[in-house]
Amino acid sequence: MIEYLPLKRINARYDAEIREAIDRVLQSGWYLRGEATRLFEQHYAEYIGTAHCIGCGNGLDALRLILRAYIEMGRLHEDDEVIVPANTFIATILAITDCHLKPVLVEPRLDTLQIDDRLIEQAITEHTKAVMIVHLYGRCAYTNKVGDICQKHHLLLIEDNAQAHGCRPPQAPPKEGVSGYMTSQDSKVFHVSKHPSLWEGLGGLTGSLGHAAAHSFYPGKNLGALGDAGAVTTNDAQLAETVRALGNYGSHQKYVHDYQGYNSRLDELQAAVLDVKLRHLDADNARRQQIAALYINKVNNPAIVLPTPSDSVYHIFPVLSARRDELQAYLKDNGIETLIHYPIPPHRQRCYREWSTLSLPITEQISEQELSIPCHQAMTDREVEAVITALNRFAGK
């Protein structure tokens, strides 16, 4: 069986380093808001290209913390509208409605599966205060047109970067060399070249292209923890300070609570593991990109639509097929595990039944035809070739 994402096998590649990092935390006796978290936040901010990184409990919390912080800062108010792609995981929408803001769903492009920037401006009203882009499947959703629209209409640009750790936008120059970690007895320092800005002095990798970005480190992500974990990145010092307080019960100082906050903190063990895996992220993404290129170049089947080439880091390799269910069953019979992302779009979920009459044909087509095939850094060449052969032999009924 070719597993879709064998996490045990993936993590085994870093086993010794992970065990060493966990042991350091255990020996320290400090398990929350300590040195491991501080170091990971520093390293990840430098890697992404932002001034601030604030660890939190998970990716949904990261989105909620950004929106709540903007509400506390007076930049957003209840019932303000947030433009968001209709084709996304439901967490993106949940964060908006949980903060009593109104999602405005915009269709994706069928060729990129990302929000269609040609449709954003017509969705703007006097109540629109933000655009939330989602770098879905590991592909950059940012375009210069998105940035121009946000500047023109004075809108916040928020990134959901849960699936695109290490993704370089097409407009950005190639990422310069990472010298890696310099080991000392007590700590490790990560050195990364800075990138020219793409928009408003921000720029670099996805997660640094807007005013703020949310990151998920769910175990299956390209940069995955050993449990739930997340982070917010931003260049806005006030936002960073507010997010950090909100995630710590609304407190900047122990027992002094400025906000009605949450308990959403990145623990030391997860931070230490993420710091290890961050060292390998570029190499792991490069392997995913290598596998994706083989799929794109070698799969030739009129019943299967492949993603267009891009700088995606291929958290997910999505194919579309009008015979999706047949294709999935056929691949299973041939020992290849697949997943569907996502079979029911947000506007068809029972929790948002007030949207059930919306007509979003592109989003619905994607939900009916998308199939995710194995594409991860631990795949062998033999497994990749087996997937390619099976896809090319699929005929359907």
Side-chain angles (χ1 to χ4, degrees):
M1 169 67 74
I2 299 175
E3 295 178 80
Y4 177 75
L5 191 67
L7 291 179
K8 183 177 179 180
R9 188 168 131 203
I10 289 171
N11 288 327
R13 299 161 73 243
Y14 329 113
D15 185 78
E17 294 170 89
I18 287 174
R19 290 178 185 275
E20 180 187 352
I22 290 173
D23 187 61
R24 283 199 303 272
V25 173
L26 292 176
Q27 293 299 320
S28 77
W30 195 280
Y31 308 121
L32 272 175
R33 306 187 78 194
E35 184 68 3
T37 300
R38 186 193 69 78
L39 282 173
F40 173 70
E41 290 176 340
Q42 174 191 331
H43 298 160
Y44 193 61
E46 291 175 350
Y47 176 81
I48 291 295
T50 59
H52 306 281
C53 171
I54 308 94
C56 63
N58 53 67
L60 173 57
D61 279 0
L63 288 166
R64 290 194 298 179
L65 287 165
I66 291 168
L67 296 172
R68 268 292 308 278
Y70 278 129
I71 289 169
E72 297 293 347
M73 292 163 61
R75 294 290 304 275
L76 291 174
H77 302 86
E78 188 169 323
D79 293 330
D80 281 348
E81 293 175 352
V82 179
I83 290 174
V84 66
N87 178 44
T88 187
F89 180 55
I90 200 166
T92 315
I93 312 296
L94 289 173
I96 297 170
T97 57
D98 187 59
C99 291
H100 305 288
L101 302 166
K102 291 186 175 180
V104 176
L105 305 182
V106 171
E107 284 267 65
R109 292 176 61 111
L110 196 55
D111 58 341
T112 67
L113 308 185
Q114 307 299 317
I115 191 169
D116 192 336
D117 59 10
R118 300 167 299 184
L119 303 178
I120 291 176
E121 199 153 22
Q122 66 192 51
I124 294 173
T125 74
E126 61 181 325
H127 303 292
T128 306
K129 295 297 185 294
V131 174
M132 183 179 289
I133 57 175
V134 183
H135 305 300
L136 202 63
Y137 313 117
R139 182 170 184 151
C140 181
Y142 178 89
T143 65
N144 287 333
K145 186 175 181 67
V146 170
D148 291 343
I149 289 170
C150 289
Q151 282 187 302
K152 176 181 175 182
H153 296 277
H154 307 290
L155 304 176
L156 292 169
L157 178 58
I158 300 166
E159 299 172 77
D160 182 338
N161 196 48
Q163 299 187 3
H165 314 114
C167 180
R168 179 173 55 85
Q171 300 95 331
K175 192 174 176 195
E176 296 183 24
V178 176
S179 61
Y181 284 84
M182 296 174 57
T183 306
S184 69
Q185 194 167 13
D186 300 315
S187 66
K188 297 181 178 182
V189 181
F190 193 55
H191 298 274
V192 180
S193 301
K194 297 297 181 182
H195 303 281
S197 64
L198 293 181
W199 182 64
E200 275 196 354
L202 311 180
L205 304 182
T206 56
S208 70
L209 309 178
H211 293 95
H215 307 256
S216 168
F217 305 121
Y218 179 78
K221 305 297 187 183
N222 292 32
L223 180 59
L226 300 185
D228 273 326
V232 171
T233 53
T234 183
N235 279 331
D236 185 330
Q238 183 185 4
L239 179 71
E241 183 181 10
T242 307
V243 165
R244 192 175 295 279
L246 283 168
N248 187 43
Y249 300 99
S251 173
H252 293 287
Q253 178 184 346
K254 195 169 185 178
Y255 303 131
V256 178
H257 302 271
D258 298 317
Y259 315 109
Q260 296 177 27
Y262 310 106
N263 174 18
S264 183
R265 298 171 295 193
L266 177 64
D267 70 64
E268 289 286 279
L269 287 171
Q270 300 302 343
V273 170
L274 288 167
D275 215 28
V276 167
K277 296 178 79 173
L278 180 60
R279 307 173 202 169
H280 303 282
L281 180 57
D282 284 342
D284 288 346
N285 283 344
R287 175 56 177 163
R288 287 172 177 260
Q289 291 167 331
Q290 183 184 46
I291 294 167
L294 289 170
Y295 286 154
I296 291 169
N297 291 325
K298 291 190 173 185
V299 174
N300 184 13
N301 188 326
I304 300 170
V305 179
L306 301 169
T308 55
S310 71
D311 287 315
S312 175
V313 292
Y314 295 100
H315 169 62
I316 294 166
F317 190 95
V319 302
L320 300 180
S321 177
R323 300 178 183 145
R324 192 261 308 280
D325 295 343
E326 294 175 54
L327 176 59
Q328 185 173 42
Y330 161 83
L331 291 172
K332 181 180 179 181
D333 290 343
N334 283 270
I336 299 169
E337 187 178 28
T338 60
L339 292 178
I340 297 171
H341 297 89
Y342 302 95
I344 306 173
H347 73 287
R348 290 286 185 255
Q349 297 286 352
R350 185 172 179 273
C351 62
Y352 292 117
R353 51 190 171 274
E354 67 270 22
W355 295 341
S356 62
T357 58
L358 288 179
S359 176
L360 296 165
I362 303 298
T363 297
E364 289 159 20
Q365 179 181 344
I366 294 169
S367 72
E368 293 164 1
Q369 296 186 358
E370 193 277 341
L371 185 67
S372 306
I373 63 175
C375 182
H376 58 81
Q377 58 267 36
M379 281 188 82
T380 65
D381 291 344
R382 179 176 292 183
E383 287 174 326
V384 175
E385 287 300 325
V387 174
I388 291 169
T389 298
L391 290 172
N392 283 334
R393 288 179 177 172
F394 172 71
K397 294 181 180 178

